[in-house]
Amino acid sequence: MIRSELIQKIADENPHLFQRDVERIVNTVFEEVTEAMARGDRVELRGFGAFSVKQRDARVGRNPRTGETVQVEEKFVPFFKTGKLLRDRLNGIED
């Protein structure tokens, strides 16, 4: 599902809301999650999962095309851990 499909689905299920308002809500949620992660905060959506930031240390890598060794700087990467409810649903376990 892409962002526009999510916005359309929410708008269809909530006919009392204008699509532009639904779009603004969805964009605000994504922006807030992004900003929180950029600050290094953890974002937890109960039953769905938790977004966090992990640090990868600097290392020596290899250019796959030339085989030349290159220095890869440390970096921060997004990490998502599924919640129990989502994991159970994906595995066909219903409460």
Side-chain angles (χ1 to χ4, degrees):
M1 173 178 282
I2 59 175
R3 185 185 303 231
S4 60
E5 291 172 340
L6 175 63
I7 291 168
Q8 188 62 52
K9 184 164 178 64
I10 293 171
D12 291 346
E13 291 179 3
N14 296 280
H16 60 285
L17 296 174
F18 292 111
Q19 183 160 349
R20 68 177 180 267
D21 294 333
V22 172
E23 186 173 353
R24 192 174 320 141
I25 291 166
V26 169
N27 289 337
T28 300
V29 169
F30 286 143
E31 286 172 18
E32 289 300 316
V33 169
T34 301
E35 288 177 19
M37 291 179 66
R39 290 190 305 268
D41 296 340
R42 182 174 183 266
V43 178
E44 181 177 335
L45 303 172
R46 292 284 168 123
F48 182 70
F51 298 91
S52 60
V53 178
K54 291 199 173 203
Q55 181 178 357
R56 288 201 181 149
D57 294 330
R59 61 184 173 83
V60 175
R62 190 169 299 277
N63 181 330
R65 186 170 292 168
T66 64
E68 176 186 351
T69 60
V70 292
Q71 190 63 33
V72 178
E73 296 180 10
E74 78 173 2
K75 58 185 166 185
F76 295 93
V77 293
F79 179 75
F80 177 74
K81 182 175 181 185
T82 59
K84 184 179 183 321
L85 186 64
L86 175 59
R87 195 169 38 250
D88 288 348
R89 191 145 182 210
L90 291 175
N91 290 303
I93 301 170
E94 300 288 327
D95 280 340

